[in-house]
Amino acid sequence: MRVLIAEDERMIADSVAEGLRAHALAVDVVYGGDTALDRLAVNDYDVLVLDRDLPGVHGDEVCRLLAGSGSPVRVLMLTAASDVRSRVAGLALGADDYLTKPFAFEELAARVHALGRRSRLAVPPTLERAGLRLDPARREAYRDGRYVPLARKEFGVLAELLRADGAVVSTETLLEKVWDEHIDPFTNTVRVTLVKLRRKLGDPAVIETVPGVGYRIR
């Protein structure tokens, strides 16, 4: 899952980003509404964590523009205003969820995961295929009932392959969804991560390489 955080308080933005990365999410950060719109125009995000009071372009306008464009990205709006009228106004602009400051990080992470599931068609909270079971919220992976400890990127890659439900996932898609915008597009990190992931999952192999196309769970 790929997340964009648009928050002008840099300490909050960077702290939330680091916490979400620990949940095996790919996270980019911007500090203004104009920059947020630029990133949304070129990257395929699942969830936008949007501060309402942004410089450049106000968060309300960012949300309004997204809703008007038919963008599939889910919006979690953050604000210091906690009254009912403000929450209703935020949802009326097109936000999918609303969280007031100060907030507990655990709640924010849970809401981001929930919105991420809604950004794709029929994606269940727990992903299962070929004897694999993955719980993204708890960051737990099992094969045939055996717990498999995975590093962040290994977990993210496996989650994307399971979400594809047997379809082939390209290297480019894995880079976009599991790594952030700073990754070198010519890196071999996907191949290296898959080697480690296959080793941890054990035999018989369940991740198939489709030459020249990508990878899939059999």
mmCIF file with all atom_site columns, all heavy atoms in Angstrom, residues 29-42:
data_model
loop_
_atom_site.group_PDB
_atom_site.id
_atom_site.type_symbol
_atom_site.label_atom_id
_atom_site.label_alt_id
_atom_site.label_comp_id
_atom_site.label_asym_id
_atom_site.label_entity_id
_atom_site.label_seq_id
_atom_site.pdbx_PDB_ins_code
_atom_site.Cartn_x
_atom_site.Cartn_y
_atom_site.Cartn_z
_atom_site.occupancy
_atom_site.B_iso_or_equiv
_atom_site.pdbx_formal_charge
_atom_site.auth_seq_id
_atom_site.auth_comp_id
_atom_site.auth_asym_id
_atom_site.auth_atom_id
_atom_site.pdbx_PDB_model_num
ATOM 1   N N   . VAL A 1 29 ? 6.118  12.039 1.878   1.00 0.00 ? 29 VAL A N   1
ATOM 2   C CA  . VAL A 1 29 ? 5.716  13.163 2.729   1.00 0.00 ? 29 VAL A CA  1
ATOM 3   C C   . VAL A 1 29 ? 5.866  14.467 1.972   1.00 0.00 ? 29 VAL A C   1
ATOM 4   O O   . VAL A 1 29 ? 6.881  14.706 1.302   1.00 0.00 ? 29 VAL A O   1
ATOM 5   C CB  . VAL A 1 29 ? 6.571  13.220 4.010   1.00 0.00 ? 29 VAL A CB  1
ATOM 6   C CG1 . VAL A 1 29 ? 6.139  14.383 4.901   1.00 0.00 ? 29 VAL A CG1 1
ATOM 7   C CG2 . VAL A 1 29 ? 6.476  11.905 4.786   1.00 0.00 ? 29 VAL A CG2 1
ATOM 8   N N   . VAL A 1 30 ? 4.843  15.333 2.073   1.00 0.00 ? 30 VAL A N   1
ATOM 9   C CA  . VAL A 1 30 ? 4.923  16.709 1.574   1.00 0.00 ? 30 VAL A CA  1
ATOM 10  C C   . VAL A 1 30 ? 4.416  17.629 2.676   1.00 0.00 ? 30 VAL A C   1
ATOM 11  O O   . VAL A 1 30 ? 3.693  17.199 3.574   1.00 0.00 ? 30 VAL A O   1
ATOM 12  C CB  . VAL A 1 30 ? 4.112  16.909 0.277   1.00 0.00 ? 30 VAL A CB  1
ATOM 13  C CG1 . VAL A 1 30 ? 4.698  16.092 -0.860  1.00 0.00 ? 30 VAL A CG1 1
ATOM 14  C CG2 . VAL A 1 30 ? 2.640  16.544 0.483   1.00 0.00 ? 30 VAL A CG2 1
ATOM 15  N N   . TYR A 1 31 ? 4.778  18.904 2.569   1.00 0.00 ? 31 TYR A N   1
ATOM 16  C CA  . TYR A 1 31 ? 4.445  19.848 3.630   1.00 0.00 ? 31 TYR A CA  1
ATOM 17  C C   . TYR A 1 31 ? 3.532  20.978 3.159   1.00 0.00 ? 31 TYR A C   1
ATOM 18  O O   . TYR A 1 31 ? 3.305  21.944 3.893   1.00 0.00 ? 31 TYR A O   1
ATOM 19  C CB  . TYR A 1 31 ? 5.729  20.428 4.228   1.00 0.00 ? 31 TYR A CB  1
ATOM 20  C CG  . TYR A 1 31 ? 6.714  19.362 4.648   1.00 0.00 ? 31 TYR A CG  1
ATOM 21  C CD1 . TYR A 1 31 ? 7.870  19.134 3.916   1.00 0.00 ? 31 TYR A CD1 1
ATOM 22  C CD2 . TYR A 1 31 ? 6.475  18.565 5.772   1.00 0.00 ? 31 TYR A CD2 1
ATOM 23  C CE1 . TYR A 1 31 ? 8.775  18.146 4.299   1.00 0.00 ? 31 TYR A CE1 1
ATOM 24  C CE2 . TYR A 1 31 ? 7.372  17.577 6.149   1.00 0.00 ? 31 TYR A CE2 1
ATOM 25  C CZ  . TYR A 1 31 ? 8.521  17.379 5.407   1.00 0.00 ? 31 TYR A CZ  1
ATOM 26  O OH  . TYR A 1 31 ? 9.407  16.392 5.781   1.00 0.00 ? 31 TYR A OH  1
ATOM 27  N N   . GLY A 1 32 ? 3.006  20.873 1.948   1.00 0.00 ? 32 GLY A N   1
ATOM 28  C CA  . GLY A 1 32 ? 2.101  21.896 1.422   1.00 0.00 ? 32 GLY A CA  1
ATOM 29  C C   . GLY A 1 32 ? 1.073  21.305 0.489   1.00 0.00 ? 32 GLY A C   1
ATOM 30  O O   . GLY A 1 32 ? 1.283  20.231 -0.098  1.00 0.00 ? 32 GLY A O   1
ATOM 31  N N   . GLY A 1 33 ? -0.041 22.005 0.318   1.00 0.00 ? 33 GLY A N   1
ATOM 32  C CA  . GLY A 1 33 ? -1.111 21.505 -0.540  1.00 0.00 ? 33 GLY A CA  1
ATOM 33  C C   . GLY A 1 33 ? -0.749 21.495 -2.006  1.00 0.00 ? 33 GLY A C   1
ATOM 34  O O   . GLY A 1 33 ? -1.142 20.595 -2.761  1.00 0.00 ? 33 GLY A O   1
ATOM 35  N N   . ASP A 1 34 ? 0.016  22.486 -2.467  1.00 0.00 ? 34 ASP A N   1
ATOM 36  C CA  . ASP A 1 34 ? 0.412  22.524 -3.871  1.00 0.00 ? 34 ASP A CA  1
ATOM 37  C C   . ASP A 1 34 ? 1.327  21.348 -4.213  1.00 0.00 ? 34 ASP A C   1
ATOM 38  O O   . ASP A 1 34 ? 1.179  20.708 -5.261  1.00 0.00 ? 34 ASP A O   1
ATOM 39  C CB  . ASP A 1 34 ? 1.094  23.855 -4.200  1.00 0.00 ? 34 ASP A CB  1
ATOM 40  C CG  . ASP A 1 34 ? 2.179  24.247 -3.201  1.00 0.00 ? 34 ASP A CG  1
ATOM 41  O OD1 . ASP A 1 34 ? 2.288  23.594 -2.142  1.00 0.00 ? 34 ASP A OD1 1
ATOM 42  O OD2 . ASP A 1 34 ? 2.921  25.210 -3.480  1.00 0.00 ? 34 ASP A OD2 1
ATOM 43  N N   . THR A 1 35 ? 2.256  21.039 -3.299  1.00 0.00 ? 35 THR A N   1
ATOM 44  C CA  . THR A 1 35 ? 3.144  19.891 -3.516  1.00 0.00 ? 35 THR A CA  1
ATOM 45  C C   . THR A 1 35 ? 2.366  18.585 -3.479  1.00 0.00 ? 35 THR A C   1
ATOM 46  O O   . THR A 1 35 ? 2.663  17.643 -4.227  1.00 0.00 ? 35 THR A O   1
ATOM 47  C CB  . THR A 1 35 ? 4.247  19.859 -2.450  1.00 0.00 ? 35 THR A CB  1
ATOM 48  O OG1 . THR A 1 35 ? 4.766  21.166 -2.264  1.00 0.00 ? 35 THR A OG1 1
ATOM 49  C CG2 . THR A 1 35 ? 5.367  18.916 -2.858  1.00 0.00 ? 35 THR A CG2 1
ATOM 50  N N   . ALA A 1 36 ? 1.357  18.518 -2.604  1.00 0.00 ? 36 ALA A N   1
ATOM 51  C CA  . ALA A 1 36 ? 0.524  17.315 -2.532  1.00 0.00 ? 36 ALA A CA  1
ATOM 52  C C   . ALA A 1 36 ? -0.168 17.064 -3.869  1.00 0.00 ? 36 ALA A C   1
ATOM 53  O O   . ALA A 1 36 ? -0.199 15.928 -4.360  1.00 0.00 ? 36 ALA A O   1
ATOM 54  C CB  . ALA A 1 36 ? -0.511 17.457 -1.417  1.00 0.00 ? 36 ALA A CB  1
ATOM 55  N N   . LEU A 1 37 ? -0.711 18.104 -4.472  1.00 0.00 ? 37 LEU A N   1
ATOM 56  C CA  . LEU A 1 37 ? -1.392 17.950 -5.764  1.00 0.00 ? 37 LEU A CA  1
ATOM 57  C C   . LEU A 1 37 ? -0.410 17.501 -6.850  1.00 0.00 ? 37 LEU A C   1
ATOM 58  O O   . LEU A 1 37 ? -0.757 16.692 -7.709  1.00 0.00 ? 37 LEU A O   1
ATOM 59  C CB  . LEU A 1 37 ? -2.066 19.255 -6.158  1.00 0.00 ? 37 LEU A CB  1
ATOM 60  C CG  . LEU A 1 37 ? -3.292 19.643 -5.317  1.00 0.00 ? 37 LEU A CG  1
ATOM 61  C CD1 . LEU A 1 37 ? -3.768 21.048 -5.685  1.00 0.00 ? 37 LEU A CD1 1
ATOM 62  C CD2 . LEU A 1 37 ? -4.427 18.631 -5.507  1.00 0.00 ? 37 LEU A CD2 1
ATOM 63  N N   . ASP A 1 38 ? 0.819  18.026 -6.790  1.00 0.00 ? 38 ASP A N   1
ATOM 64  C CA  . ASP A 1 38 ? 1.832  17.614 -7.767  1.00 0.00 ? 38 ASP A CA  1
ATOM 65  C C   . ASP A 1 38 ? 2.128  16.118 -7.646  1.00 0.00 ? 38 ASP A C   1
ATOM 66  O O   . ASP A 1 38 ? 2.198  15.397 -8.650  1.00 0.00 ? 38 ASP A O   1
ATOM 67  C CB  . ASP A 1 38 ? 3.121  18.407 -7.568  1.00 0.00 ? 38 ASP A CB  1
ATOM 68  C CG  . ASP A 1 38 ? 2.984  19.863 -7.966  1.00 0.00 ? 38 ASP A CG  1
ATOM 69  O OD1 . ASP A 1 38 ? 2.041  20.188 -8.702  1.00 0.00 ? 38 ASP A OD1 1
ATOM 70  O OD2 . ASP A 1 38 ? 3.826  20.678 -7.534  1.00 0.00 ? 38 ASP A OD2 1
ATOM 71  N N   . ARG A 1 39 ? 2.296  15.644 -6.411  1.00 0.00 ? 39 ARG A N   1
ATOM 72  C CA  . ARG A 1 39 ? 2.610  14.222 -6.204  1.00 0.00 ? 39 ARG A CA  1
ATOM 73  C C   . ARG A 1 39 ? 1.432  13.337 -6.597  1.00 0.00 ? 39 ARG A C   1
ATOM 74  O O   . ARG A 1 39 ? 1.609  12.258 -7.168  1.00 0.00 ? 39 ARG A O   1
ATOM 75  C CB  . ARG A 1 39 ? 2.972  13.973 -4.741  1.00 0.00 ? 39 ARG A CB  1
ATOM 76  C CG  . ARG A 1 39 ? 4.175  14.751 -4.270  1.00 0.00 ? 39 ARG A CG  1
ATOM 77  C CD  . ARG A 1 39 ? 5.470  14.270 -4.918  1.00 0.00 ? 39 ARG A CD  1
ATOM 78  N NE  . ARG A 1 39 ? 6.595  15.109 -4.506  1.00 0.00 ? 39 ARG A NE  1
ATOM 79  C CZ  . ARG A 1 39 ? 7.258  14.976 -3.377  1.00 0.00 ? 39 ARG A CZ  1
ATOM 80  N NH1 . ARG A 1 39 ? 6.924  13.999 -2.538  1.00 0.00 ? 39 ARG A NH1 1
ATOM 81  N NH2 . ARG A 1 39 ? 8.246  15.780 -3.076  1.00 0.00 ? 39 ARG A NH2 1
ATOM 82  N N   . LEU A 1 40 ? 0.233  13.775 -6.263  1.00 0.00 ? 40 LEU A N   1
ATOM 83  C CA  . LEU A 1 40 ? -0.961 12.983 -6.588  1.00 0.00 ? 40 LEU A CA  1
ATOM 84  C C   . LEU A 1 40 ? -1.165 12.869 -8.093  1.00 0.00 ? 40 LEU A C   1
ATOM 85  O O   . LEU A 1 40 ? -1.759 11.902 -8.574  1.00 0.00 ? 40 LEU A O   1
ATOM 86  C CB  . LEU A 1 40 ? -2.202 13.617 -5.942  1.00 0.00 ? 40 LEU A CB  1
ATOM 87  C CG  . LEU A 1 40 ? -2.281 13.467 -4.419  1.00 0.00 ? 40 LEU A CG  1
ATOM 88  C CD1 . LEU A 1 40 ? -3.232 14.512 -3.835  1.00 0.00 ? 40 LEU A CD1 1
ATOM 89  C CD2 . LEU A 1 40 ? -2.743 12.070 -4.028  1.00 0.00 ? 40 LEU A CD2 1
ATOM 90  N N   . ALA A 1 41 ? -0.655 13.844 -8.823  1.00 0.00 ? 41 ALA A N   1
ATOM 91  C CA  . ALA A 1 41 ? -0.820 13.832 -10.281 1.00 0.00 ? 41 ALA A CA  1
ATOM 92  C C   . ALA A 1 41 ? 0.092  12.815 -10.953 1.00 0.00 ? 41 ALA A C   1
ATOM 93  O O   . ALA A 1 41 ? -0.195 12.352 -12.064 1.00 0.00 ? 41 ALA A O   1
ATOM 94  C CB  . ALA A 1 41 ? -0.544 15.225 -10.848 1.00 0.00 ? 41 ALA A CB  1
ATOM 95  N N   . VAL A 1 42 ? 1.199  12.446 -10.292 1.00 0.00 ? 42 VAL A N   1
ATOM 96  C CA  . VAL A 1 42 ? 2.170  11.568 -10.946 1.00 0.00 ? 42 VAL A CA  1
ATOM 97  C C   . VAL A 1 42 ? 2.322  10.198 -10.283 1.00 0.00 ? 42 VAL A C   1
ATOM 98  O O   . VAL A 1 42 ? 2.847  9.272  -10.898 1.00 0.00 ? 42 VAL A O   1
ATOM 99  C CB  . VAL A 1 42 ? 3.564  12.240 -11.010 1.00 0.00 ? 42 VAL A CB  1
ATOM 100 C CG1 . VAL A 1 42 ? 3.499  13.504 -11.846 1.00 0.00 ? 42 VAL A CG1 1
ATOM 101 C CG2 . VAL A 1 42 ? 4.099  12.551 -9.623  1.00 0.00 ? 42 VAL A CG2 1
#
